[in-house]
Amino acid sequence: MPPPRITLDRQALADDIRSLPSLPNVVVQLQALMMQNDASIDSFANTLQLDQALSVKVLQLANSPFYGLSNRIGSVRDAINVLGLRQLGTLVLAAALTVQFEKLHGKALHIDAFWRHSIACAVAARHIARLHGMNEAAAFTAGLLHDVGRLVVDSHYPEEAAVIMEWADSQDLPYFEAEQALTGVHHAELGQWVCQHWHFAPEITEAIAGHHQPGSAPKAMLADVVQVADALAHALDLAELASEAVPGIHRSVWQRLALTEQRTGVLLRGIEEEFQQLESVLRPRKETP
């Protein structure tokens, strides 16, 4: 028997989302550059230099032990040459949104596990998009933000969020099935509202809104990519949660993406490797004495 139905005020949640601070303008500009195929190094460098904190972060990333150039990179332009435009956009967006995640979350959600799963889903989405010649930057961004609606509930209804998570664990259900059963409010819809408020491209907001409810389009869509990426990220258990229910993948989505067992095995290995690389740069583990 599920616990009594939980009531969440949809209008209050919508009002809360509208009152969220805007993303820093430089992040919006960088996201737009990432969506362009012909953006130049200079356009990235000039945009980054408008934000001192992000410029410092980029230099820290380029000088991290992972790239083997410790303390040898002194300019943003040189850092971009080291990181590459694709990796630069990935790292800056992930670093900037990590700050927003930490501002949003409440008491119930484990923010580190949430961050790890979001990064894993973003990496998985990019790998799948690459296989199908789709926009990798859009896929990474949609994967990174696919669960941001959960942060809204956690921030404003932490006790209710805890009940949803506890019931999901007790029933061995994916979170979205538990929230639907108990509240009728879907984090994918809330995530869509957040991304519209932050002025992300319609392609990204629509993918987040539909990543648990695929459409019937004849060809693969970004929402399909995010649904499979979410499932693969859960299957790899990169969030390091005690319990990890893997959401199902709709047959139509699997068919549109044409993922064979062999292809999936290659994907999983690539996702795990890139996740470890990203984590080592963005959140290096502290050494224990």
Side-chain angles (χ1 to χ4, degrees):
M1 287 286 291
R5 188 171 177 82
I6 298 170
T7 301
L8 302 181
D9 188 328
R10 289 171 60 85
Q11 186 57 52
L13 287 167
D15 292 342
D16 289 338
I17 288 169
R18 281 193 290 269
S19 68
L20 290 175
S22 299
L23 286 180
N25 191 46
V26 67
V27 176
V28 177
Q29 291 181 44
L30 284 170
Q31 172 65 14
L33 288 172
M34 284 174 63
M35 300 290 283
Q36 299 174 16
N37 293 324
D38 57 353
S40 66
I41 288 179
D42 285 337
S43 61
F44 273 93
N46 292 337
T47 302
L48 268 174
Q49 286 166 354
L50 298 174
D51 189 301
Q52 185 177 4
L54 276 179
S55 296
V56 169
K57 185 67 175 175
V58 167
L59 290 172
Q60 288 174 340
L61 295 171
N63 284 299
S64 68
F66 177 74
Y67 292 100
L69 296 169
S70 183
N71 298 320
R72 290 167 57 187
I73 304 300
S75 74
V76 169
R77 202 178 193 288
D78 287 344
I80 294 172
N81 280 323
V82 169
L83 299 171
L85 288 180
R86 189 190 75 182
Q87 186 74 329
L88 169 88
T90 293
L91 292 170
V92 170
L93 185 66
L97 288 176
T98 295
V99 174
Q100 303 303 318
F101 287 172
E102 290 173 346
K103 288 179 181 177
L104 261 179
H105 89 98
K107 299 177 180 178
L109 198 60
H110 191 299
I111 190 61
D112 189 58
F114 179 89
W115 180 88
R116 289 172 63 84
H117 174 70
S118 298
I119 293 291
C121 185
V123 169
R126 181 163 66 187
H127 276 255
I128 298 167
R130 189 177 304 153
L131 278 178
H132 289 271
M134 298 170 73
N135 188 309
E136 294 180 31
F140 184 92
T141 303
L144 188 65
L145 290 165
H146 76 290
D147 274 347
V148 70
R150 290 189 59 184
L151 290 176
V152 176
V153 176
D154 185 49
S155 175
H156 299 285
Y157 292 97
E159 292 180 6
E160 290 83 351
V163 170
I164 297 168
M165 287 188 285
E166 288 168 9
W167 192 70
D169 288 345
S170 71
Q171 303 297 311
D172 195 26
L173 287 175
Y175 176 87
F176 82 93
E177 291 185 21
E179 73 177 351
Q180 281 288 87
L182 302 184
T183 72
V185 173
H186 204 305
H187 71 273
E189 182 182 21
L190 300 180
Q192 179 187 28
W193 297 350
V194 172
C195 291
Q196 287 171 338
H197 175 71
W198 282 343
H199 302 294
F200 282 98
E203 178 185 12
I204 292 168
T205 60
E206 289 165 11
I208 290 167
H211 75 275
H212 287 301
Q213 298 168 323
S216 56
K219 65 176 184 178
M221 305 293 288
L222 189 54
D224 298 339
V225 170
V226 177
Q227 182 180 113
V228 174
D230 183 30
L232 295 182
H234 278 293
L236 285 167
D237 194 20
L238 296 174
E240 297 182 348
L241 290 168
S243 59
E244 187 80 77
V246 179
I249 297 171
H250 289 256
R251 182 182 296 274
S252 60
V253 171
W254 198 258
Q255 290 172 340
R256 283 196 291 268
L257 291 175
L259 289 175
T260 62
E261 185 176 340
Q262 182 180 7
R263 245 183 173 184
T264 304
V266 173
L267 268 177
L268 289 170
R269 288 191 292 274
I271 292 163
E272 191 159 17
E273 180 181 350
E274 186 175 342
F275 170 83
Q276 301 298 346
Q277 292 173 355
L278 264 180
E279 185 194 30
S280 71
V281 173
L282 287 168
R283 277 195 177 178
R285 293 180 183 269
K286 295 178 181 178
E287 295 182 9
T288 53

